[in-house]
């Protein structure tokens, strides 16, 4: 899987957002989805659900922080 992002349109305030880092976070999330599927297929439904809940919260926090940092950088640069 290629890790390069060739062309993406983003709002100006998100220009400094590290898209490679965002993609890496989604790759980690997909790996955890596969782990949860494996856990579920092995009969461990509770562990699978716990893993998904935890990872979804973590992913949301990390992405929100990246977006917030990019917007802060944009506002500093345009003062």
């Amino acid at each position: 899987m290629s890790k390069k992002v060739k062309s993406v349109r983003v709002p100006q305030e998100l220009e400094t957002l590290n898209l490679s880092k965002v993609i890496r976070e989604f790759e980690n999330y997909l790996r955890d989805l596969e782990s949860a599927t494996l856990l579920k297929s092995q009969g461990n439904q509770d562990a699978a659900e716990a893993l998904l809940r935890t990872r979804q919260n973590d992913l949301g926090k990390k992405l929100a922080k990246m977006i917030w940092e990019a917007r802060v950088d944009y506002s500093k640069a345009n003062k």
Side-chain angles (χ1 to χ4, degrees):
M1 176 183 284
S2 177
K3 301 232 186 229
K4 288 188 176 183
V5 176
K6 294 182 180 180
S7 176
V8 176
R9 293 180 193 201
V10 295
Q12 271 189 324
E13 59 268 11
L14 298 180
E15 282 181 346
T16 61
L17 186 65
N18 184 341
L19 294 178
S20 295
K21 189 174 180 181
V22 171
I23 291 170
R24 200 166 33 251
E25 285 301 322
F26 279 110
E27 287 173 346
N28 292 339
Y29 179 70
L30 288 173
R31 188 181 62 238
D32 289 340
L33 284 178
E34 290 173 1
S35 296
T37 302
L38 182 62
L39 285 169
K40 188 175 180 180
S41 71
Q42 293 173 347
N44 202 342
Q45 178 77 24
D46 293 336
E49 289 176 9
L51 175 61
L52 288 179
R53 276 193 307 271
T54 302
R55 189 61 181 112
Q56 286 172 346
N57 288 336
D58 186 48
L59 178 65
K61 288 176 185 176
K62 286 182 178 182
L63 290 178
K65 184 178 179 186
M66 285 185 240
I67 291 169
W68 178 77
E69 288 171 347
R71 293 189 77 188
V72 166
D73 290 344
Y74 176 78
S75 66
K76 286 180 183 177
N78 291 314
K79 279 193 172 183

